[in-house]
């Protein structure tokens, strides 16, 4: 009876689907376990073999936990809003919904072939209205909330309004806009509704503000920092500039400290935690204000080194700083404006990374030192970022390398004084950036103090004169939440006299309208500006024709859409209760599942997705909707499976192609070759197939220089990518070798967290292992299972494997489990083991890794139903306890033979048995040894 993976895998995939085998219950008495993958964006290219790596690992854990008696939630869905679908719509005119639906169908087909134990009854798609109605609802909750520093959590905006009505805002301690105007209760109550709304916008957790954004004109949208590479858009390589736009923003900064402290309570890798700490960027220092001479303006700075206040030589503003236009003198106006325009073409990330380029201009204005009252020139420089601190720095060149380089670069220029040295250290060659090893000099009342004491005294003095105070600062800035795109969640917002109004929950979802074009409008509005039916009728409570906006009850709807991270910032909660039409998830479901026990995904989401998810989770916890503070207890970042690219080598004139071994002295260029044109095992190029391939028509008449009659391609490990033609489809592997082989092989390649190259040549060994496993249960005539009692060696092999596999899964070391399976099957084959008592538990052990063959073996053993919830075998130590020892018997230190003896024998008993052995007598030849050395369990040595 042969092993036909095609029939077996199709059979059990159909069985699982028909019987909802992996559907989780929200009311089970079993302990719960929630294992989640970062859900995919469904691209048109489908999956390659690198994509399922994390899914296979999570599936092994999910299946194992079911065997261990857990009620397992293992869902899957699609992050289906995004820029790629919109760009494809622009190019082809197809609606993004259509292409997204087709891409999802392709992904689902591929995922099903690999045999994942997903609970598909809970599938989510972020672009479905029945999903994003809840995203819209969460946005409304954020709008209707403020952050109370006294209680250190988000609260309903109603509590803030009640405080205003009773006491004004004098006692309010909130995360809010800067420069809030004080008002009394009487004043608040006398304000018009519009005035009150404007004030509340300064406190809401999501709010409208004019913000510096990354604007990509070619794509017609704002881009997040992680969507920009080397100053251009990651998608398409288009120029990106900094631009001020009115945008929706989220006060994630309110949660900075909680996001930082929460890292102590979760089981994540230290590298991911450190990435988040750096992104949050907590700094302790002081807020200092410098008055601009001859004006009412003040420059606010945050410094971690208030002890260096007397070393301030100049000040630097970010080019985007709002004061630049207000304080620049007429003489410097043209120069400054040209500089600001030029720097707008560089992203913040590029400016941060570029430490070599020094650029700046003098504003012509001077600030006043808070203590000495001396004049300090104010410069503009792009090494200062508007998004960090206050967008201004007090430059102390003697203690900061960038300030030092800037001062030296502009040395002698109008408005750049000599560097002041306030340390008893030499700064002739470089700044002194240490926080120890110095005493302050030339520092007035701080002379003779060190960093710690100087900092304390400087802050006290600043507070005394009202020029500053101690402050904790965070690099984490509020998140821009608007995108000028079509294919995203519509905001549930309409505008009355320019002020945002929320649409009531009962009217959600606000569904994307049909548009003729997916590009921005001719006057620069977002794509939704092309919609003819996109206005809110407050009388009929429905979306209506835009031509009616002039009516008293019809108002414009928001034209921007939400960013891609909106839907992915809460999706794990939707899985808990995915069919709930009224709530994003019921209280009962949330209470049962609580949070994700294991989250697996790529490290590229170390900051963006994970920070936003933690932020929304904490907010929903504050407002009583989420049961836990943190969404993901344990996080594992899987490595990448890299592609093994293939190359041919051409001469400069493209007329000659050299085989790999013949290019040493040739001036050649390497060309990527589609893997379909080579034998992946021998690395031989199929020349005729290569010539016929549409990518290589230019080489149809080329001369091929061969090695021993063959053209051998070059190979190199690279990221798996369509552009490198090194993509391997899981469909091809499943068809030729089977899904169980693919699953085992991906785990066998190496530790989950490490990146490793794909090499199809190695897959045959795993395929062969499954055939060997099958032959333990079947021969050509059918089942060979017997009910005889297994031998001690059979039990030993089984329980070694139980122990190893259990430990490996618990420690997420899946690659070594596959090795142990191979060892076990080889041992059982040598022992001629066909014993039910061994092979039944072996099938269960294999099940998490190779579920299709395990189901078939379990069925062949006479069991009905699925193997998926059968109890996992328990390791018993007694089967590994050795009762005998094979001793080496030595004569004068040289081993002559071995003897197997029970381990419980005494030294005297061992000596008696050894001396009576014929082989001993042969070695002694009638002599009596001078000494017999016996260490029970270790050695036997006869001397003399």
């Amino acid at each position: 009876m042969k092993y036909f993976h095609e029939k077996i895998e199709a059979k059990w995939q159909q069985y699982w689907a028909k019987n909802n085998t992996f559907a989780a219950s929200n009311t089970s008495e079993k302990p719960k376990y929630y294992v989640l993958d970062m859900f995919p964006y469904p691209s048109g290219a489908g999956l390659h073999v690198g994509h399922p790596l994390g899914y296979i690992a999570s599936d092994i854990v999910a299946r194992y936990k079911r065997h261990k008696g857990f009620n397992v939630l293992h869902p899957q869905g699609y992050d289906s809003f995004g820029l790629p679908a919109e760009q494809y719509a622009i190019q082809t005119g197809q609606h993004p919904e259509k292409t997204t639906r087709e891409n999802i169908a392709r992904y689902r087909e591929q995922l099903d072939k690999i045999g994942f134990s997903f609970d598909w009854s809970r599938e989510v798609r972020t672009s479905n209205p029945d999903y994003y109605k809840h995203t819209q609802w969460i946005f409304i909750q954020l709008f209707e909330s403020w952050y109370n520093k006294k209680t250190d959590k988000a609260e309903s905006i109603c509590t803030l309004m009640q405080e205003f009505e009773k006491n004004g805002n004098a006692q309010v301690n909130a995360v809010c806009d800067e420069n809030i105007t004080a008002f009394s209760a009487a004043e608040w109550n006398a304000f018009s509704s519009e005035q009150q709304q404007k004030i509340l916008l300064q406190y809401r957790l999501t709010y409208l503000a004019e913000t510096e954004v990354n604007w990509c004109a070619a794509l017609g949208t704002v881009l997040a920092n992680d969507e920009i590479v080397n100053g251009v858009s990651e998608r398409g390589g288009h120029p990106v500039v900094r631009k001020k736009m009115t945008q929706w923003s989220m006060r994630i900064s309110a949660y900075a400290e909680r996001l930082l402290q929460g890292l102590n309570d979760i089981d994540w890798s230290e590298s991911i935690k450190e990435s988040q700490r750096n992104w949050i960027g907590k700094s302790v220092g002081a807020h200092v204000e410098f008055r601009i001479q001859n004006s009412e303006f003040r420059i606010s700075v945050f410094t971690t080194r208030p002890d260096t206040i007397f070393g301030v030589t100049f000040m630097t503003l970010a080019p985007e700083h709002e004061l630049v236009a207000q304080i620049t003198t007429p003489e410097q106006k043209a120069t400054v404006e040209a500089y600001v325009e030029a720097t707008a073409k560089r992203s913040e990330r590029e400016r941060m990374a570029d430490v070599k380029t020094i650029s700046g201009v003098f504003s012509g204005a001077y600030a006043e030192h808070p203590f000495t009252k001396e004049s300090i020139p104010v410069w503009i420089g792009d090494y200062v970022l508007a998004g960090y601190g206050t967008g201004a720095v007090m430059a102390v060149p003697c203690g900061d390398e960038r300030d030092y380089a800037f001062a030296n670069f502009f040395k002698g220029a109008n408005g750049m004084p000599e560097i002041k040295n306030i340390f008893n250290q030499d700064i002739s060659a470089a700044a002194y950036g240490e926080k120890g090893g110095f005493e302050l000099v030339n520092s007035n009342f701080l002379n003779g103090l060190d960093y710690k004491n100087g900092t304390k005294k400087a802050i006290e003095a600043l507070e005394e004169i009202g020029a500053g105070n101690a402050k904790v600062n965070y690099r984490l800035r509020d998140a821009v939440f608007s995108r000028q795109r079509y294919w995203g969640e519509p905001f549930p917002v309409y505008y009355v006299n320019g002020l945002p109004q929320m649409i009531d929950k009962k009217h959600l979802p606000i569904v994307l309208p049909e548009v003729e074009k997916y590009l921005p409008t001719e006057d620069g509005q977002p794509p939704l500006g092309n919609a003819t039916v996109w206005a809110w009728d407050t009388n009929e409570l429905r979306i209506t024709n835009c031509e009616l906006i002039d009516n008293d009850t019809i108002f414009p709807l928001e034209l921007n859409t939400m960013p891609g991270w909106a839907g992915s910032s809460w999706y794990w909660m939707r899985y808990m209760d995915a069919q709930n039409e009224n709530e994003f998830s019921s209280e009962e479901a949330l209470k049962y599942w609580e949070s994700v026990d294991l989250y697996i995904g790529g490290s590229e989401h170390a900051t963006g997705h994970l920070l936003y998810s933690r932020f929304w989770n904490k907010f929903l916890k504050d407002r009583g909707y989420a049961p836990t503070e943190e969404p993901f207890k344990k996080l594992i970042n899987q490595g990448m499976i890299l592609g093994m690219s293939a190359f041919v080598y051409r001469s400069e004139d493209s007329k000659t192609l050299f085989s790999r071994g013949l290019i040493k002295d040739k001036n050649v260029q390497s060309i990527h070759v589609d893997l379909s044109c080579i034998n992946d095992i021998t690395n031989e190029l199929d020349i005729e197939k290569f010539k016929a391939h549409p990518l290589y028509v230019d080489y149809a008449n080329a001369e091929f220089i061969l090695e021993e009659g063959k053209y051998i391609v070059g190979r190199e490990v690279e990221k798996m990518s369509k552009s490198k033609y090194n993509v391997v489809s899981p469909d091809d592997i499943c068809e030729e070798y089977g899904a169980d082989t693919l699953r085992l092989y991906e785990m066998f390649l190496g530790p989950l967290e490490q990146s490793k190259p794909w090499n199809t040549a190695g897959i045959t060994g795993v395929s062969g292992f499954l055939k060997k496993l099958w032959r333990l249960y079947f021969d050509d005539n059918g089942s060979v299972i017997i009910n005889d009692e297994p031998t001690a060696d059979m039990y030993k092999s089984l329980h070694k494997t139980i122990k190893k596999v259990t430990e490996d899964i618990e420690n997420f070391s899946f690659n070594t489990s596959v090795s142990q399976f191979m060892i076990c099957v080889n041992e059982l084959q040598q022992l001629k083991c066909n014993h039910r008592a061994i092979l039944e538990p072996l099938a269960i052990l294999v099940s998490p890794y190779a579920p299709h063959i395990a189901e078939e073996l379990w069925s062949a053993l006479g069991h009905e139903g699925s193997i998926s919830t059968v109890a996992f075998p328990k390791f018993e130590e007694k089967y590994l306890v050795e009762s005998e020892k094979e001793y080496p018997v030595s004569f004068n230190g040289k081993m002559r033979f071995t003897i197997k003896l029970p381990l419980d024998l005494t030294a005297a008993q061992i000596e008696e048995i050894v001396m009576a052995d014929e082989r001993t007598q042969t070695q002694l030849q009638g002599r009596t040894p001078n000494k017999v050395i016996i260490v029970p369990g270790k050695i036997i040595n006869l001397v003399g």
Side-chain angles (χ1 to χ4, degrees), residues 263-264 266-277:
L263 294 172
N264 298 324
I266 49 182
D267 183 8
W268 293 13
S269 71
E270 193 54 38
S271 63
I272 294 294
K273 288 184 178 183
E274 194 58 28
S275 293
Q276 295 225 341
R277 291 189 190 104

Side-chain angles (χ1 to χ4, degrees), residues 842-863:
L842 179 61
I844 303 168
L845 285 176
V846 169
S847 175
Y849 290 81
H852 305 90
I853 193 172
E855 291 275 22
E856 188 68 15
L857 296 176
W858 189 249
S859 176
L861 287 163
H863 301 288

Side-chain angles (χ1 to χ4, degrees), residues 570-583:
W570 69 278
Y571 75 110
W572 62 94
M573 294 189 219
R574 185 60 179 168
Y575 283 136
M576 297 177 186
D577 197 13
Q579 305 307 319
N580 192 325
E581 295 182 4
N582 301 315
E583 305 167 282

Side-chain angles (χ1 to χ4, degrees), residues 440-622:
L440 288 167
V441 297
N442 303 319
S443 295
N444 203 302
F445 57 85
L446 300 180
N447 283 338
L449 299 181
D450 59 9
Y451 161 72
K452 183 177 180 180
N453 292 305
T455 295
K456 181 181 178 184
K457 192 165 183 178
I459 292 173
E460 290 172 352
L462 287 166
E463 290 175 344
E464 282 179 17
I465 65 173
N469 54 270
K471 186 177 181 180
V472 175
N473 192 59
Y474 300 91
R475 182 181 292 114
L476 183 66
R477 314 319 297 166
D478 286 348
V480 176
F481 198 66
S482 295
R483 296 293 185 269
Q484 292 65 46
R485 300 175 186 166
Y486 172 78
W487 193 235
E489 295 90 339
F491 284 92
V493 175
Y494 66 97
Y495 290 89
V496 178
N497 296 329
L499 289 170
Q501 313 295 320
M502 297 297 117
I503 294 171
D504 192 270
K505 171 187 176 182
K506 63 187 175 185
H507 305 303
L508 302 180
I510 301 302
V511 180
L512 280 170
E514 293 291 332
V515 295
E516 286 188 15
K517 295 186 295 184
Y518 304 105
L519 286 166
T521 64
E522 291 180 3
D523 58 355
Q525 289 185 328
L528 288 183
N530 293 309
T532 56
V533 181
W534 193 241
W536 185 249
D537 188 332
T538 57
N539 187 37
E540 296 289 334
L541 299 176
R542 63 184 178 85
I543 295 173
T544 190
N545 198 305
C546 295
E547 293 178 357
L548 302 175
I549 283 177
D550 289 339
N551 293 0
D552 292 340
T553 62
I554 298 175
F555 301 96
L557 284 158
E558 172 66 67
L559 297 181
N560 289 307
T561 54
M562 299 184 198
W565 57 266
S568 62
S569 291
W570 69 278
Y571 75 110
W572 62 94
M573 294 189 219
R574 185 60 179 168
Y575 283 136
M576 297 177 186
D577 197 13
Q579 305 307 319
N580 192 325
E581 295 182 4
N582 301 315
E583 305 167 282
F584 74 93
S585 193
S586 69
E587 185 178 350
E588 294 76 19
L590 288 160
K591 184 177 180 181
Y592 179 75
W593 293 109
E594 291 186 333
S595 60
V596 176
D597 296 284
L598 174 65
Y599 197 29
I600 297 181
S603 59
E604 65 272 16
H605 301 293
T607 49
H609 163 63
L610 292 174
L611 269 176
Y612 297 141
S613 297
R614 296 178 63 218
F615 160 41
W616 277 34
N617 199 94
K618 289 175 189 294
F619 164 73
L620 290 169
K621 171 73 162 56
D622 288 351

